[in-house]
Amino acid sequence: MATEDLARSTPPSASTADAGNATGAAAGRRQLLVLGGGAVLAFSLLVIALSGLASLTGASGASKPGIDATAKAITLALREEPPQLNSIKATDQVSGMILGHVMEGLLRYGADNRLHPGIAERWEVSETSATFWLRENARWSDGTPITAQDFVFSWQQAVSPETASEYAFILYAVKNGEAISRGDVPVSELGVRAANDRTLIVEFEKPIAYFEKLVAFVTYRPVKEAFFRQTNGRYGADADMLLYSGPFVIDRWVHGAHVRLKKNPYYWNANEIRLDVIDFPYLTSDVNATLNLFKDGSIAYTTLQAENLQDALEQRFELNRFMDGSVFYIEFNHREGTPTRSYHLRRALQLVNDPDELVYKVLKAPGYLPGESLFPVWLQGAERLLRQEYPAPTPTVDVAEARRQLELAKAELGVDEIPPLVLLSGDNPISNKQSEYYQDLFRRTLGIEVRIDKQIFKQRLAKMTAGEFDMVLAGWGPDFDDPLTFGDLFASWNLNNRGRYDNPDLDKWVRVAQGSLDQVIRAEAFGNIQRILYEDAVLLYNYERGLVYVTDPRLKGIVRRAAGHDPDFTYAYIDAAED
C-alpha cells in the first residue's frame, strides 16, 4: 500500500517481536540488512505535522500511562489520523494498520506471520475456483451473523466503476473483475456468490498461484449492505459509521486528536485476545516528542530516527531492528503535457541519482538500504531470493552523459530551458531532507530548478491521484506476500500508478506473472519488469526502509510483518512480572 516515510513489514514467515527481543525468523534471514540508510511506508504508521502541546496530549489533554495492567490497556502514539477507514477504498498503511485491528476477512495473518483461518473456518482452492466455509459464530460488532453475502456485496462495491476504488485491481483475479471495473460488464456478473449464508464460492478469471494471500488483504474484507446503505455515503467516516468484524472496535475517534480501540466482545476468537484497550491519544510525527513520551512512560512503543537514536542509546534502551518490506522512490508524471513525459529528461535525472549518498550521507536513518529496484531484497523468486535470480541493474552516476541527455530532452520538448519541476513531498523530517537534497542535486548537476510542494500525507495522496506533480516522493509496501504486489504497480490499469505510466511491454509481463502457476516463468516476468522500469527510467530509486524501535519491557507479543498490517498488537499482552 501507499506509504509515508517514517519508520515500518516482513513476509508472513518472518517475525514476531516480544518487547525487548529482536524480530525472529525473517530477521535472521536478513542479517545482510544492517543499520544503514533511507525511508517510507503500504499499511503502517504515517505522518501529520501537528505542533504544540495540544497535539501531544490528545483530545483528553491529560497524560496517560503507557501500560495499565489492571485495565489491560496500552497507550501508543499515532503519526497521523487514518485518512480512509472504508475498507473498500483504503489505500494507505496507517488506515490499514487500524483496519487490521478492527476488520477481519476470510483469512488472517497469525502471530507466526502465516495465514490462518479467519471468518472462514476452512477453504479449498483449485485452478479455477475457491470455496470458503464461514464460521457459525462469526459475528458483526452488533451481534448479527457475518454471512457470505456480506463478502459478495463488498467485493462488488470494490470493483464497481461508481466506487472508483484505487484497489479495484486487486480483485481482477475474480472472474469479470477487470471487465466490471472498466464498465463493460454489470457488477452482478462478478465471479463470487453466496451458495448459502455460510458458503462463499469464487470463480477465477484465470488460474492463480496466490489467491489465498489476496483474501487476507483489506479490500477483501466484508461489508454489511444494510448498514452500508444506512450511512448515506458516510461509511467509515466516523466510529459509529462502521460495523466491525475484527478483534477490536473503534471506541472513540476524535478527528485529528484521538483514536481508541476496545476489545470486540462479539469477535469469534475473543477469548484469545488479551488486551482490552489500545489507545492512541497522541497524534504527532515529531520523533523527539514520541521518544520523550516513551521515556516518561506515557506510551509503550515508539520508532526511532537518526535524530533521536543517540538519545535512546544513552538511555540504555534495548533496541529492536526491523526491515519493514517497503521501498521508496521518486515517481514521475508520465501524462501528456508534463516535462517528465520526456524519456531523455527522466534519463538525465536518473544518471545523477545516487541512492548511496542519499541514504548514508543525507538521511542517515537507522536500518535503511540504498534503493536499487522496485522489488525489495526479501522477495522470494522461484528457488532463491528474486534479486539473486535477477540482480537489479546497477547504474553509475555520470553527470556528463546526464547533461547530454538533458540537451536531447530540451530538443524533444522544444524548449531552451527545462521549466521548474514540481516535486510533491510529504511533510515530515525524512521527506524534508529528501526533497531538499534532490532540489540541490538537480540544480547543481543539471541546472534544473525544483519547486517543493510540501503536503500532509492525506493531501499528498489526493494530489498524486489528481496528477498535480512532475515528480513525487512515493513509497510502496507489500499488500500480500508475492512479488506481484510490487510487479503490477506500474501496469497501465493500476490506479496506484499515479503517474499513469503506460507501456504495453510491461503490461504483457505483468499478465504473465498474474496468469502463470509456474514460479520459474513468474520470476522471469518479474525480472523483465525490473529491467523495463530501469531502461525506461520510470522512477528514481531512493531506499528500502528499515526501522529501529523500542518497547516497554512489559509489553509482549507485538508482531512485525511486511505483508499485512504492521505493527500488529492483536496478539499483544502485558507481562506484569516485568514490573
Side-chain angles (χ1 to χ4, degrees), residues 110-131:
D112 58 359
N113 271 315
R114 298 182 183 278
L115 283 173
H116 287 257
I119 292 173
E121 61 184 355
R122 61 187 179 93
W123 65 96
E124 293 178 359
V125 179
S126 71
E127 286 193 7
T128 59
S129 66
T131 302

Side-chain angles (χ1 to χ4, degrees), residues 134-201:
L134 276 56
R135 299 177 184 277
E136 187 175 1
N137 62 338
R139 294 285 186 272
W140 290 106
S141 54
D142 64 356
T144 59
I146 299 173
T147 69
Q149 183 57 39
D150 296 329
F151 288 93
V152 174
F153 173 75
S154 175
W155 297 8
Q156 288 178 342
Q157 288 294 304
V159 298
S160 170
E162 294 181 4
T163 303
S165 171
E166 293 178 26
Y167 262 99
F169 74 91
I170 209 165
L171 279 147
Y172 288 0
V174 181
K175 185 176 180 179
N176 292 326
E178 185 172 0
I180 293 167
S181 185
R182 291 197 306 262
D184 297 339
V185 175
V187 294
S188 58
E189 295 301 309
L190 186 66
V192 58
R193 62 185 177 89
N196 53 54
D197 282 353
R198 293 179 54 207
T199 308
L200 185 73
I201 299 175

Side-chain angles (χ1 to χ4, degrees), residues 45-89:
L45 297 182
L46 297 153
V47 171
I48 189 169
L50 299 176
S51 61
L53 182 61
S55 67
L56 294 179
T57 56
S60 66
S63 179
K64 296 175 178 292
I67 297 285
D68 186 337
T70 302
K72 298 181 182 178
I74 61 173
T75 300
L76 308 168
L78 197 60
R79 295 185 183 275
E80 175 184 283
E81 174 169 340
Q84 176 60 268
L85 289 186
N86 178 347
S87 60
I88 296 169
K89 293 184 174 183

Side-chain angles (χ1 to χ4, degrees), residues 336-357:
E336 289 285 352
T338 58
T340 46
R341 186 172 176 83
S342 164
Y343 162 76
H344 294 292
L345 178 56
R346 300 196 307 272
R347 177 64 174 149
L349 298 171
Q350 183 187 57
L351 284 165
V352 299
N353 182 42
D354 187 351
D356 281 11
E357 181 178 65

